[in-house]
Amino acid sequence: MSKFALDRVTAALPTAIVERFTDRAGGEWGVVKPEAIEDVASLLRNDPELDFKLFVTIACCDRLQLPVAEPRFELSYVFGSLKRNEQVRLKVRVGGDRPEVPTISGVYQGANWDERLNWDFYGVRFTGHPDLRRILLYEEFKGHPLRKDYPLRQRQPLIPERPIKDLFRGPGTSGVA
Amino acid sequence: MSESELEAHFPTQNMVVNLGPSHPAMHGTVRMRIELEGETIVKADPEFGFLHRGFQKSAENGTWTQVLPYTDRLNYVSSLMNNFGYLNAVEKLIGLEIPERAKYIRVISSELHRMADHLTCVGAVGLELGGFSAFLYGIEARELIVDRVTELTGARLTTTFGRVGGLNRDLPPGWTDVVLKTLDKISSLAHEVDGLLTRNRIFVDRTKDTGVISAEDALDFGFTGPCLRACGVNYDIRKARPYWVYDRLDFDVPVGARGDNYDRYLMRMEEIKQSDRIIRQAIKQMPVGPVIIDDWRVALPPKPEVYGTIEGTMAHFKLIMEGVQVPPGEVYDSTESANGELGWWLVSDGSGRPYKCHVRAPSFALLSGVTRMIEGQLLADLIPTFDTINMIGGEVEQ
């Protein structure tokens, strides 16, 4: 689908894409080195033949429980080209205690909020981001809830919750202090 | 600002106003922290997340089918499109082809909900600019659609309709005839709304050339759907990458020019008419046949089989307890929902649960562009701008 775009990126930036694969639905993915993502994004957007002007999304996956768990975080970037009527899918893999990826909010304005979302829920830092705050959760929130090691039922209320008698689930502390 | 030497110095400072979180014009609960210089917005910072429900975390802890009710709550005005968008992505991941009749029913009910979404949006624009009658006509038409959806799915808003591999039930008897009559009624009601708003002096003054965004900026922010098309960009996933049976149906994609509030309003009015066309054609073309694939690894067996045979019982038990076994892999797939591209990035580890379920909500991108559209504009222009982008709290805040 986006073979042409990935070929062209490889031709212009030979070391940027480290791996390519096709997913089950036939979508082609390119795995990009973290330090090269900004160059790749700006090439895709500004090359007149590629013209990937439409910012689609940035998502993150915590691979902690997958068979291949290293590096731990996998960010996927999707951009669209109306001229070529296709989408390009890129991946960036980062690990470590303080995962860091360069921001692309200078290339696509829409990336600003998506990067904030991934910082909020996965704790991936986007270096050079102009305003890296939490976006859906509140600033006092501790931890990053979509990480696989964040417990499903963990609660951290801003004000103490009243205990509510509930056998299985529901709001409050379920009668337990 | 030049001051004459003789004028007394009058110190002024910018004023910060909080609009929301509970404000009738802030659909859902969004708080806008607005810095004003006089009546002009200098800076706007939306703060949202009050409706955050942990959609993705819940999805990762349920089976593939159990995610379906959560998708109702994303865009609660047009939940069927979320249901089918999610199911479409899961089916892509498994590699399933659903029966023809199911595709047609998905198209018909999606387009019904697209009309409902646009009618609600248009009605709300009218309401918040002071035209209550337009809202009543819009909502009356929407209620008729909600009635049809109730007959189809059994629920007014939280539809949870469709299953992996097709649909959980066929159309009720005589439903298509009632739909055709409903379409006639809706087009007459939409005509009333059109008559009340489209050439209304006050409405045009409030919406024309307010909340303008250029095509370049709109693409950059990730605008899709009617808001992108209002800027003059012809991009509709139903045409660009047709899914289901959209390539067999004849419809037009309206494209605007100026990217202002008035164009976004016109896009929605025209799309209501186009959806009407699509539904009429789809009802004519719809074949008879099964609505779900006959594969017990994915779809529940018919009830006589479950209660009468051991194979049926086992298949039912395994599907309910373990969920659909989706092979390991990943997919990014998108459909055109009422507000734009509804994308799903699904990762499966081969178990019965989604390992990762990312939703690319169209309104999220639209809301991020709002600051660009209103900075430097009057405070009063914020209201129609916020209305016409049709931000839905449920899908932005997940």
Side-chain angles (χ1 to χ4, degrees):
Chain A
M1 224 163 88
S2 51
K3 187 171 178 303
F4 177 81
L6 294 177
D7 285 346
R8 207 171 161 89
V9 171
T10 315
L13 306 161
T15 57
I17 296 184
V18 291
E19 189 193 327
R20 283 171 64 168
F21 67 94
T22 308
D23 68 25
R24 291 180 51 83
E28 289 200 43
W29 294 80
V31 182
V32 179
K33 279 198 296 192
E35 56 273 21
I37 184 66
E38 198 174 355
D39 291 339
V40 172
S42 96
L43 176 73
L44 286 167
R45 183 176 185 274
N46 298 325
D47 188 309
E49 278 205 38
L50 297 174
D51 203 44
F52 282 88
K53 286 272 191 284
L54 176 66
F55 172 79
V56 181
T57 193
I58 302 177
C60 184
C61 178
D62 180 1
R63 306 203 291 171
L64 191 65
Q65 294 159 0
L66 283 181
V68 186
E70 279 298 317
R72 183 167 165 189
F73 296 101
E74 189 174 72
L75 289 153
S76 64
Y77 294 73
V78 183
F79 310 126
S81 169
L82 308 185
K83 191 176 168 190
R84 299 185 50 78
N85 187 19
E86 65 182 27
Q87 287 181 331
V88 67
R89 293 136 209 236
L90 302 172
K91 277 195 173 183
V92 170
R93 292 175 179 151
V94 282
D97 295 334
R98 269 174 66 95
E100 285 189 341
V101 182
T103 178
I104 60 158
S105 55
V107 183
Y108 292 99
Q109 299 174 63
N112 187 319
W113 279 24
D114 277 54
E115 288 179 351
R116 279 176 67 189
L117 192 75
N118 287 315
W119 156 247
D120 195 351
F121 285 95
Y122 286 96
V124 177
R125 257 170 229 281
F126 292 87
T127 49
H129 191 285
D131 181 27
L132 197 64
R133 287 176 293 149
R134 286 186 184 271
I135 191 161
L136 292 185
L137 303 175
Y138 44 92
E139 282 299 330
E140 294 82 1
F141 195 90
K142 291 189 184 67
H144 301 282
L146 278 177
R147 287 188 175 190
K148 289 285 177 183
D149 50 10
Y150 188 93
L152 176 66
R153 301 283 306 276
Q154 180 160 327
R155 301 185 70 87
Q156 33 176 312
L158 278 177
I159 50 167
E161 292 180 38
R162 278 179 293 175
I164 293 171
K165 279 272 184 220
D166 187 323
L167 281 179
F168 300 108
R169 52 203 303 173
T173 54
S174 301
V176 188
Chain B
M1 208 185 289
S2 64
E3 280 179 30
S4 154
E5 279 177 29
L6 297 175
E7 283 175 23
H9 179 62
F10 182 58
T12 55
Q13 60 183 31
N14 289 350
M15 184 178 180
V16 175
V17 173
N18 281 306
L19 203 60
S22 290
H23 185 280
M26 299 284 109
H27 300 197
T29 38
V30 178
R31 170 174 167 246
M32 282 270 195
R33 189 183 165 281
I34 300 164
E35 203 180 314
L36 290 173
E37 187 190 331
E39 260 196 282
T40 312
I41 297 171
V42 181
K43 196 172 173 304
D45 180 23
E47 182 188 315
F48 52 98
F50 300 99
L51 291 182
H52 179 64
R53 314 177 292 286
F55 167 74
Q56 293 190 28
K57 193 81 175 172
S58 313
E60 287 167 15
N61 285 281
T63 64
W64 291 94
T65 315
Q66 282 173 343
V67 177
L68 208 51
Y70 296 123
T71 63
D72 293 340
R73 278 89 177 157
L74 289 173
N75 184 342
Y76 36 74
V77 187
S78 51
S79 46
L80 282 169
M81 273 188 276
N82 304 303
N83 293 164
F84 297 151
Y86 167 74
L87 291 172
N88 196 41
V90 177
E91 284 151 7
K92 279 264 169 69
L93 184 51
I94 305 178
L96 284 180
E97 185 70 19
I98 64 168
E100 285 290 291
R101 187 174 171 84
K103 288 182 188 170
Y104 276 100
I105 296 176
R106 283 189 183 185
V107 167
I108 294 167
S109 44
S110 290
E111 294 302 322
L112 273 178
H113 251 170
R114 190 187 309 278
M115 292 170 96
D117 199 297
H118 289 344
L119 283 163
T120 314
C121 175
V122 166
V125 180
L127 171 71
E128 277 153 29
L129 297 183
F132 198 71
S133 335
F135 176 73
L136 290 178
Y137 286 118
I139 289 299
E140 187 186 345
R142 189 196 84 138
E143 274 311 299
L144 294 175
I145 295 174
V146 168
D147 286 349
R148 296 296 82 76
V149 170
T150 312
E151 287 162 8
L152 182 65
T153 69
R156 266 171 54 82
L157 300 172
T158 50
T159 50
T160 318
F161 193 54
R163 295 290 180 268
V164 182
L167 300 168
N168 48 333
R169 68 173 89 165
D170 205 344
L171 301 179
W175 189 75
T176 48
D177 299 332
V178 191
V179 166
L180 290 174
K181 277 186 205 146
T182 311
L183 288 181
D184 295 338
K185 180 72 180 161
I186 290 169
S187 61
S188 83
L189 287 167
H191 185 72
E192 296 279 353
V193 177
D194 184 61
L196 281 167
L197 295 180
T198 309
R199 287 172 63 78
N200 181 322
R201 189 75 242 168
I202 301 167
F203 182 78
V204 173
D205 282 349
R206 288 288 303 272
T207 52
K208 218 167 207 167
D209 297 324
T210 60
V212 183
I213 190 161
S214 69
E216 179 131 342
D217 272 344
L219 288 165
D220 216 26
F221 274 110
F223 278 34
T224 42
C227 296
L228 178 63
R229 294 193 281 274
C231 306
V233 181
N234 187 354
Y235 176 62
D236 187 319
I237 300 174
R238 292 175 294 172
K239 289 279 189 195
R241 293 185 297 279
Y243 50 97
W244 302 331
V245 292
Y246 279 113
D247 47 349
R248 295 178 216 164
L249 301 164
D250 176 32
F251 64 99
D252 298 324
V253 177
V255 177
R258 289 185 302 273
D260 60 359
N261 289 324
Y262 190 63
D263 271 16
R264 285 193 282 275
Y265 157 79
L266 290 180
M267 290 306 103
R268 293 208 158 82
M269 289 306 282
E270 185 56 32
E271 282 192 20
I272 294 171
K273 292 181 194 152
Q274 297 302 328
S275 294
D276 181 294
R277 275 177 74 190
I278 295 174
I279 296 169
R280 284 174 199 278
Q281 291 172 50
I283 287 178
K284 265 197 201 126
Q285 292 179 15
M286 184 166 57
V288 287
V291 292
I292 192 158
I293 56 164
D294 184 26
D295 183 346
W296 293 359
R297 290 170 303 170
V298 175
L300 287 175
K303 285 292 169 285
E305 300 284 344
V306 176
Y307 298 128
T309 65
I310 186 67
E311 291 82 5
T313 313
M314 280 166 66
H316 184 94
F317 180 82
K318 282 184 84 69
L319 273 181
I320 297 293
M321 300 308 289
E322 292 171 4
V324 182
Q325 302 293 306
V326 175
E330 61 186 293
V331 70
Y332 176 82
D333 185 57
S334 50
T335 53
E336 179 83 15
S337 82
N339 282 332
E341 173 164 351
L342 180 74
W344 298 88
W345 182 45
L346 303 175
V347 179
S348 168
D349 59 352
S351 71
R353 296 172 173 205
Y355 185 77
K356 163 78 191 172
C357 175
H358 168 81
V359 55
R360 187 262 183 218
S363 296
F364 189 76
L366 297 174
L367 186 59
S368 77
V370 160
T371 47
R372 165 62 55 87
M373 286 146 81
I374 59 173
E375 276 170 11
Q377 306 288 314
L378 292 179
L379 177 61
D381 294 342
L382 168 67
I383 306 299
T385 308
F386 207 78
D387 277 333
T388 52
I389 63 155
N390 196 20
M391 169 257 166
I392 306 281
E395 66 179 13
V396 173
E397 302 167 14
Q398 306 190 2

